[in-house]
């Protein structure tokens, strides 16, 4: 009886090899791939087929809501709820409303961007099978790792291991599943 | 360039990237014709309506000078930050920068029209008994004004010349860390000197048209407008060369994307300054400050002000916000062309209300002086572009610049 396998991880020595291996596996129809590297590898997003998340639109909506709230606040408090003449200025005018409007638009936009980033990346995530493999610890310093999940339709441990070795992996690590516990 | 892998092969490919002589010749003839036409018609216009000529000429001169100075600032900043992304477009920046060398000669008609344009240049304008204007009486005397101009032009021409020679020197002798460090060393004091001289020049050239009016951000406002127009100009220049078949592999979509970011960011910066200046004066409501805006917010000038707010800020802000917009070359080119028009509207709006108080008034001299000054400066840039490769062939960061990515 074999232990449950979550996937396998191939360790490469250069970002070019990582990029090339990912491109080749994608060409062979492997879908459930992930790449880990100590720094961003240019072009990897496109190779892995990442879509641009709709975060920009979320941020835009949040910023517009922020601007509207700020304008409404300044107009209602200044001109409706507690009208107070200061220095002969109008109770409400766009001229003095711009700074607060801008600030609240940026504030809500930034909240949406930060919260949305966590949501899109499924963070915070405290444990993951890849994190339990001791042989992958150097991915945060100088190694480049390509992970193939066992749930991929093309997955066959022996064949995948051979492919990865042919693509220049210096070693291939097994990533055990979480099991029942 | 395709297939070039070593830095030597890249450098050889870059050296071969030059304007074709017959094409260079053809554009030069067009520019000479435009310049001649511009100067002849402007001279005739000067004999007909001296005041209109000098005002139109000042706008045209400012248009060309601010773009050249924006380019000088950009080149210096690239060296200062040791930027790699911009290396393949740097020769185009330098070609725009070198038009600064024409500025001293182009300034002569402004000096000749000093007393027509500037009320302070008329004898006895400032009351000698008024202690409030004691400083201005000294500062705005024609002799002191002209001496300042000499200092500005010397600083700009020396800086532009040093940066240009340091860059083309690497084409001939090969790149070296020593050359990189030397250019960076000039750029530090260069940027500081530019900010002091350009902001002062903006005060002298434009703000002093209203001798009693003052705004502390005015110099930076004019400089920011010039920087926006420079970025728009380099996008148009690169796209124009691209349409003729040049630089297609050297300046690619990743580089245009970054130029688009600059165009977006700088027009927001310009708007920030324009708003800060307006809001403070609106709030303080002091007569000597609001008079400047009163002229510009009445009559048809009001519509020019609104066009400026919508066109110089709204259009690039909404039009370049999306990533896709900055990466679409036709769209980026359209916005860049629009911004070049808006820079002219901005300068016209700064200068012309002193001559046409009652409303926006377009004169044919606006176009003919623009042709004269613009084509002359363009000739200077085009002349040096024909003499050197279109990319800094000796630069050590060519390969790094080509691999530039935005993800």
């Amino acid at each position: 009886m074999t232990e449950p396998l979550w996937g396998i991880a191939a360790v490469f020595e250069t970002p070019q090899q990582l990029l090339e291996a990912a491109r080749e596996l994608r060409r062979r129809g492997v879908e459930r791939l992930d790449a880990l590297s100590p720094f961003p590898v240019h072009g990897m997003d496109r190779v892995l087929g990442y879509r641009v998340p709709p975060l920009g639109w979320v941020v835009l909506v949040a910023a517009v809501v922020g601007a509207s709230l700020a304008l409404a606040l300044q107009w209602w408090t200044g001109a409706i709820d507690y009208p107070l003449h200061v220095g002969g200025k109008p109770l409400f005018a766009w001229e003095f409303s711009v700074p607060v409007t801008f600030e609240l638009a940026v504030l809500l936009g930034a909240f949406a961007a930060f919260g949305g980033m966590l949501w899109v990346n499924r963070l915070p995530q405290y444990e993951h099978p890849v994190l339990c493999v001791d042989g992958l610890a150097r991915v945060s310093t100088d190694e480049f790792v390509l992970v193939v999940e066992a749930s991929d339709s093309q997955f066959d441990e022996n064949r995948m291991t051979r492919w990865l070795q042919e693509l220049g992996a210096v070693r291939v690590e097994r990533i055990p599943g979480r099991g029942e516990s | 360039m395709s297939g070039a892998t070593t830095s030597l092969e890249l450098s050889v490919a870059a050296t071969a990237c030059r304007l074709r002589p017959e094409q260079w010749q053809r554009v030069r003839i067009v520019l000479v014709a435009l310049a001649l036409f511009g100067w002849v018609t402007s001279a005739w216009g000067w004999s007909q309506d001296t005041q209109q000529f000098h005002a139109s000429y000042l706008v045209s001169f400012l248009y060309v000078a601010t773009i050249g100075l924006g380019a000088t600032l950009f080149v210096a900043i690239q060296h200062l930050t040791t930027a790699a992304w911009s290396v393949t477009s740097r020769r185009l920046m330098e070609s725009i920068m070198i038009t600064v060398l024409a500025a001293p000669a182009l300034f002569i008609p402004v000096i000749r029209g000093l007393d027509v344009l500037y009320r302070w240049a008329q004898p006895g304008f400032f009351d000698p008994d008024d202690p409030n204007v004691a400083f201005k009486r000294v500062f705005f005397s024609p002799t002191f004004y002209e001496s300042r101009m000499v200092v500005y032009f010397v600083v700009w021409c020396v800086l532009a010349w040093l940066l240009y020679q340091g860059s083309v020197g690497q084409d001939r002798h090969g790149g070296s860390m020593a050359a990189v460090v030397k250019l960076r060393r000039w750029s530090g004091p260069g940027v500081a000197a530019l900010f002091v001289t350009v902001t002062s020049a903006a005060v002298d050239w434009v703000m002093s048209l209203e001798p009693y009016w003052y705004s502390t951000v005015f110099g930076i406002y004019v400089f920011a407008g010039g920087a926006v127009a420079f970025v728009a100009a380099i996008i148009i220049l690169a796209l124009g060369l691209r349409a003729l078949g040049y630089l297609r592999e050297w300046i690619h979509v990743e580089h245009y994307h970054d130029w688009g970011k600059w165009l977006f960011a700088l027009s927001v910066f310009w708007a920030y300054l324009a708003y800060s200046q307006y809001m403070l004066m609106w709030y303080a409501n002091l007569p000597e400050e609001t008079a400047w805006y009163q002229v510009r917010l009445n009559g048809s000038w009001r519509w020019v002000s609104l066009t400026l707010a919508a066109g110089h800020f709204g259009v690039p802000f909404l039009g370049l916000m999306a990533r896709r917009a900055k990466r679409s070359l036709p769209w980026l080119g359209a916005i860049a062309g629009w911004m070049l028009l808006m820079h002219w509207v901005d300068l016209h709006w700064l200068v012309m209300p002193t001559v046409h108080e009652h409303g926006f008034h377009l004169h044919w001299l606006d176009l003919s002086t623009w042709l004269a000054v613009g084509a002359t400066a363009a000739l200077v840039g085009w002349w040096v572009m024909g003499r050197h490769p279109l990319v800094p062939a000796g630069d050590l960061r060519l390969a790094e610049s080509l691999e530039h990515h935005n993800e």
Side-chain angles (χ1 to χ4, degrees):
Chain A
M1 153 107 198
T2 53
E3 61 181 41
L5 186 67
W6 187 82
I8 57 173
V11 178
F12 296 92
E13 283 179 322
T14 67
Q16 287 79 17
Q17 281 179 317
L18 176 71
L19 196 66
E20 205 34 62
R23 189 175 289 140
E24 185 54 34
L25 287 194
R26 288 280 296 181
R27 200 176 296 143
R28 294 181 193 177
V30 181
E31 298 277 323
R32 297 196 62 84
L33 268 182
D34 202 2
L36 314 167
S37 54
F39 51 80
V41 176
H42 290 315
M44 190 50 99
D45 291 15
R46 208 171 307 154
V47 168
L48 292 176
Y50 286 170
R51 285 166 292 116
V52 177
L55 200 52
W57 292 104
V58 177
V59 175
L60 180 67
V61 170
V64 170
V65 168
S68 315
L69 274 177
L71 278 175
L73 175 79
Q74 290 171 95
W75 164 76
W76 185 76
T77 53
I80 307 292
D81 189 45
Y82 203 97
L84 194 64
H85 282 282
V86 180
K89 289 285 172 288
L91 295 173
F92 180 79
W94 74 267
E95 279 92 344
F96 64 67
S97 308
V98 169
V100 172
T101 308
F102 170 78
E103 298 295 351
L104 207 61
V106 170
L107 184 71
L108 291 203
F111 280 159
F114 184 66
M117 183 275 292
L118 293 179
W119 170 66
V120 168
N121 286 316
R122 296 179 207 161
L123 291 172
Q125 194 169 38
Y126 297 111
E127 66 146 353
H128 189 278
V130 172
L131 296 176
C132 304
V133 182
D134 290 337
L136 298 180
R138 274 171 67 195
V139 73
S140 58
T141 47
D142 60 352
E143 284 187 340
F144 302 85
V145 171
L146 191 63
V147 176
V148 187
E149 294 177 21
S151 54
D152 191 89
S153 58
Q154 298 264 325
F155 194 81
D156 172 281
E157 192 187 347
N158 293 329
R159 186 176 58 158
M160 201 59 75
T161 306
R162 197 177 65 245
W163 278 3
L164 289 166
Q165 279 162 348
E166 282 165 10
L167 288 166
V170 287
R171 52 176 205 281
V172 177
E173 302 272 352
R174 301 182 87 247
I175 305 170
R178 267 169 262 212
E180 262 65 56
S181 57
Chain B
M1 186 201 88
S2 33
T5 43
T6 68
S7 59
L8 182 66
E9 281 171 347
L10 260 185
S11 186
V12 169
T15 310
C17 185
R18 286 166 181 274
L19 290 170
R20 285 186 287 278
E22 69 283 358
Q23 214 150 31
W24 180 80
Q25 186 74 16
R26 220 173 306 145
V27 173
R28 193 185 63 161
I29 290 168
V30 171
L31 286 175
V32 169
L34 286 176
L36 279 177
F37 174 77
W39 285 112
V40 169
T41 48
S42 300
W44 187 73
W46 173 74
S47 68
Q48 299 299 304
D49 187 344
T50 313
Q51 193 190 33
Q52 177 66 47
F53 165 80
H54 282 299
S56 297
Y57 188 89
L58 180 65
V59 173
S60 304
F61 171 79
L62 290 169
Y63 190 84
V64 167
T66 49
I67 291 178
L69 292 168
T72 314
L73 174 70
F74 251 82
V75 173
I77 287 177
Q78 306 314 308
H79 291 307
L80 206 50
T81 56
T82 329
W85 75 271
S86 59
V87 165
T88 53
S89 3
R90 212 185 60 225
R91 184 53 46 80
L92 301 186
M93 283 187 235
E94 288 160 354
S95 305
I96 301 176
M97 168 180 81
I98 213 70
T99 61
V100 162
L101 294 186
L106 292 173
F107 194 68
I108 291 170
V110 181
I111 285 285
R112 283 212 30 125
L114 224 49
D115 54 343
V116 181
L117 274 175
Y118 301 96
R119 279 181 289 150
W120 53 257
Q122 292 153 6
F125 174 73
F126 288 118
D127 181 1
D129 299 327
D130 184 354
N132 292 322
V133 294
F135 175 73
K136 282 189 175 180
R137 217 157 62 86
V138 180
F139 195 74
F140 288 119
S141 65
T143 323
F144 192 24
Y145 184 91
E146 285 155 15
S147 330
R148 285 201 298 279
M149 292 306 136
V150 172
V151 174
Y152 301 156
F153 287 128
V154 167
V155 169
W156 300 338
C157 291
V158 167
L159 183 63
W161 185 250
L162 285 176
L163 294 177
Y164 193 79
Q165 284 304 316
S167 179
V168 296
Q170 292 188 76
D171 294 1
R172 288 192 289 267
H173 314 303
S176 64
M177 267 321 281
V180 171
V181 170
K182 195 166 68 176
L183 282 164
R184 188 164 58 204
R185 203 161 284 157
W186 288 332
S187 297
V191 167
L194 266 182
F195 269 97
V196 173
T197 49
V198 175
T199 51
S200 309
V203 170
D204 286 341
W205 290 342
V206 193
M207 203 170 95
S208 76
L209 286 166
E210 290 297 338
Y212 289 110
W213 185 75
Y214 54 89
S215 156
T216 44
V217 295
F218 193 82
I220 298 289
Y221 170 87
V222 172
F223 205 5
V228 173
F230 155 70
V231 173
I234 196 172
I235 291 172
I236 294 290
L237 179 61
L239 285 174
L241 288 172
R242 189 183 177 84
L244 294 174
Y246 296 102
L247 296 171
R248 282 172 175 260
E249 291 159 303
W250 295 97
I251 304 178
H252 50 70
V253 69
E254 304 294 337
H255 301 116
Y256 283 106
H257 186 175
D258 277 11
W259 282 118
K261 290 177 199 165
W262 268 116
L263 194 58
F264 177 87
L266 284 170
S267 37
V268 173
F269 180 59
W270 173 93
Y272 165 75
L273 294 168
Y275 167 73
S276 308
Q277 179 179 292
Y278 174 68
M279 190 268 267
L280 286 176
M281 294 193 175
W282 177 86
Y283 219 111
N285 209 11
L286 301 172
E288 67 265 36
E289 290 182 348
T290 50
W292 195 83
Y293 279 110
Q294 195 185 18
V295 179
R296 285 163 182 78
L297 289 175
N298 278 317
S300 46
W301 283 118
R302 178 187 180 79
W303 296 105
V304 181
S305 304
L306 290 172
T307 306
L308 204 52
H312 204 305
F313 169 63
V315 168
F317 184 70
L318 298 174
L320 289 178
M321 195 185 277
R323 177 184 164 91
R324 263 177 57 202
K326 290 186 280 270
R327 293 174 77 86
S328 155
L329 302 192
W331 181 253
L332 182 64
I335 301 272
W338 173 257
M339 292 316 287
L340 282 176
L341 174 67
M342 281 299 118
H343 185 50
W344 182 84
V345 174
D346 185 20
L347 295 171
H348 192 90
W349 177 83
L350 290 176
V351 171
M352 283 299 169
T354 48
V355 182
H356 302 289
E357 273 175 53
H358 301 296
F360 176 69
H361 177 78
L362 202 61
H363 195 277
W364 60 266
L365 268 166
D366 292 329
L367 181 66
S368 68
T369 54
W370 184 80
L371 277 179
V373 180
T376 307
L379 260 176
V380 174
W382 192 247
W383 188 70
V384 296
M385 273 172 80
R387 283 168 50 96
H388 300 285
L390 293 172
V391 267
D395 200 287
L396 299 173
R397 290 156 297 182
L398 265 187
E400 198 184 341
S401 180
L402 280 172
E403 277 171 26
H404 179 61
H405 263 277
N406 275 299
E407 34 179 67

